[in-house]
Amino acid sequence: MKIVIVGGGLAGIQTAYYLLEDGHQVTLVERRNAVALETSFANGGLITPSHAAPWNSPGILNTLLKSMGKRDASIYVKPSALGTYIGWGRQFIRNSTRKRYNRTIARNFALARYSQQCFQRLLEQTPLEFFHEKRGSMMVYTTRAGFEEASERFDELKRQGVEAQICSSGELVEREPALASTASHLAGGVFFKEDEHGDARSFTQSLAAYLSQNGVEMRTGVRVDGFIRSNGKIAGVTTDQGDIGADAVVIGAGHWSADILKHLDVDLPVRPVKGSSLTFSLPSWQGAPKIPVVDDELHVAVTPLQDSIRIVGTAEFCGYDPEVKPARMAMLLRAGIAIYPQLEKEISGIRPELEWSGHRPMTPDCMPILGHVGHDNLYLNTGHGYLGWTTATGTSKAIADMIAGRKSDLNMEHYGLARF
């Protein structure tokens, strides 16, 4: 079949990979001038089944209300953007009951574990060049109250099969010696053996180059502005550079997917939630960290990327706002130094390699949306939220299986649009 994929990030590119493997004629359309320039550009670089717990944990409503209008809050709700989230937000809160929270953990972890297996096979079968390591990850706590509050979540993760090792501050330092200078301030933490990390942008770019060399047509700088309809089916897409015919269309355009589907009068419950990152090139840092560390109380992660260190985190419910805010960069830097005090000396006199903000495509239950929408030849692979690289390989394989008529290893009903 001739298949058009809309979106050149982790989801779109990996969908193209699996559809090419099945022998389809694939055209990928990306609104930006190159692939991996949106959420895949400078994210946390984490493949973390351990992060299966959704953001809308029980009590999230109080957290959101307390952060309302507080620009320095790690989770910030911009009052003027509330209209973007009203209906979506009601569902977000409704999914924060203990029962739904635990159900989402189970479904996210099942998807993440499957996706990680697919990712491993993809790497074994495809010659790619990008930074990637399997060292696990850590979640650390500076207060005993925060550590104890998270214990119930860890118990649920372990029940689902996550390998989670509870660690004292000393045991954390044994695994990551760079934490030695802050060990006295740590109440404890958890080591997740199965987690991985790397450069999501270079992975996406490398896979895109491989696909281009093997027959996938990459059309960048092209904006989809509608659909071609014929005899009750989608016959392709209309763009600002002409029509593109297709036997099937896959929408994998992150939070832009909702705007695209408005052309079919479909209200897709995917909204942008802004995150930011700060990257420093530090090739001379002796004893630099090697394992990603997440401060669960600050909602910030520090990810080693070869000779660079990336500090990433925060969540802004602010609609679409591409501006990089100095206050957010300063907040990330303070958090990074709180985790690694020696970082302040290492970055003295140098400027960041990269300051970035992007928009996570979030659904109200913090799980992606997969499968048919409106027509039997129109498919969704979007809404991956904060688990983009963790889940996108598996969702892309599942969409290819659906198009081929194969039974997926996932329970697709769990991730379909009909759940809303």
Side-chain angles (χ1 to χ4, degrees):
M1 288 195 296
K2 183 176 181 180
I3 302 177
V4 168
I5 300 170
V6 183
L10 282 161
I13 293 296
Q14 291 185 95
T15 302
Y17 169 82
Y18 285 111
L19 292 176
L20 179 67
E21 290 285 291
D22 281 344
H24 297 294
Q25 180 183 346
V26 181
T27 299
L28 186 139
V29 182
E30 164 55 44
R31 62 187 292 272
R32 300 291 292 270
N33 290 327
V35 303
L37 292 183
E38 299 255 356
T39 312
S40 306
F41 184 76
N43 60 24
L46 300 173
I47 300 174
T48 48
S50 65
H51 290 193
W55 280 2
N56 52 344
S57 57
I60 188 62
L61 179 58
N62 287 335
T63 300
L64 293 174
L65 291 174
K66 289 177 182 177
S67 72
M68 186 75 69
K70 294 183 179 179
R71 296 180 181 276
D72 60 346
S74 57
I75 299 177
Y76 167 59
V77 180
K78 185 177 181 180
S80 62
L82 282 176
T84 302
Y85 301 97
I86 289 177
W88 183 96
R90 284 196 293 267
Q91 295 185 68
F92 186 73
I93 300 303
R94 191 161 57 242
N95 278 286
S96 68
T97 64
R98 176 62 60 184
K99 179 179 179 181
R100 293 190 179 196
Y101 176 75
N102 288 340
R103 183 182 68 187
T104 298
I105 289 177
R107 292 178 178 180
N108 266 344
F109 179 64
L111 172 56
R113 181 167 52 185
Y114 172 68
S115 187
Q116 201 171 26
Q117 294 166 354
C118 292
F119 182 69
Q120 182 59 44
R121 288 194 293 269
L122 187 155
L123 296 186
E124 291 169 353
Q125 297 168 3
T126 314
L128 302 177
E129 293 185 6
F130 70 102
F131 172 71
H132 168 241
E133 290 188 332
K134 299 180 180 180
R135 292 179 179 266
S137 75
M138 291 179 174
M139 199 166 282
V140 301
Y141 297 83
T142 56
T143 68
R144 176 57 56 181
F147 192 28
E148 291 176 352
E149 184 179 340
S151 62
E152 187 172 348
R153 183 172 77 234
F154 298 142
D155 289 341
E156 183 61 30
L157 286 170
K158 285 190 284 187
R159 280 193 289 270
Q160 300 302 330
V162 176
E163 291 191 41
Q165 180 185 342
I166 306 296
C167 299
S168 66
S169 59
E171 289 169 330
L172 292 171
V173 173
E174 286 180 13
R175 292 192 176 277
E176 178 49 87
L179 286 171
S181 59
T182 195
S184 61
H185 302 293
L186 295 177
V190 187
F191 175 67
F192 300 103
K193 177 182 177 182
E194 298 172 306
D195 291 350
E196 310 174 36
H197 71 284
D199 189 331
R201 184 201 333 170
S202 62
F203 165 74
T204 307
Q205 292 171 335
S206 184
L207 184 55
Y210 169 84
L211 294 174
S212 294
Q213 294 164 6
N214 286 275
V216 172
E217 181 184 2
M218 296 283 178
R219 298 191 59 177
T220 56
V222 178
R223 187 184 69 250
V224 170
D225 53 22
F227 295 88
I228 306 168
R229 285 177 269 191
S230 177
N231 298 321
K233 288 184 175 291
I234 298 297
V237 296
T238 63
T239 80
D240 59 350
Q241 298 182 30
D243 295 350
I244 306 173
D247 299 309
V249 174
V250 181
I251 306 297
H255 75 91
W256 294 111
S257 301
D259 286 344
I260 293 168
L261 285 174
K262 286 179 182 176
H263 296 291
L264 295 176
D265 295 323
V266 174
D267 183 12
L268 185 69
V270 174
R271 298 293 182 268
V273 178
K274 188 177 180 181
S276 299
S277 71
L278 184 62
T279 307
F280 288 94
S281 178
L282 298 169
S284 61
W285 185 359
Q286 298 298 315
K290 302 296 183 185
I291 299 174
V293 169
V294 179
D295 188 312
D296 197 25
E297 294 160 304
L298 295 175
H299 301 288
V300 166
V302 179
T303 305
L305 296 172
Q306 290 180 299
D307 292 333
S308 297
I309 292 294
R310 176 167 294 162
I311 310 167
V312 59
T314 75
E316 297 181 67
F317 293 81
C318 59
Y320 178 68
D321 176 12
E323 183 182 355
V324 175
K325 304 288 178 63
R328 284 278 147 178
M329 296 300 111
M331 183 190 306
L332 287 175
L333 183 56
R334 288 195 299 271
I337 291 173
I339 297 170
Y340 294 114
Q342 63 270 43
L343 178 62
E344 187 169 19
K345 177 182 177 181
E346 296 294 335
I347 65 172
S348 178
I350 68 171
R351 294 185 60 81
E353 179 183 0
L354 179 65
E355 296 177 311
W356 173 84
S357 290
H359 296 81
R360 309 173 184 94
M362 293 285 294
T363 65
D365 62 359
C366 300
M367 295 191 299
I369 300 176
L370 310 177
H372 294 292
V373 54
H375 300 74
D376 62 9
N377 66 334
L378 178 62
Y379 302 85
L380 291 175
N381 184 12
T382 190
H384 296 76
Y386 55 92
L387 291 174
W389 203 4
T390 299
T391 56
T393 315
T395 64
S396 300
K397 177 65 166 64
I399 292 299
D401 288 341
M402 178 176 278
I403 291 173
R406 293 187 296 263
K407 179 176 174 55
S408 175
D409 290 331
L410 296 174
N411 184 336
M412 296 296 284
E413 291 185 1
H414 290 169
Y415 311 100
L417 179 59
R419 72 184 190 267
F420 298 108

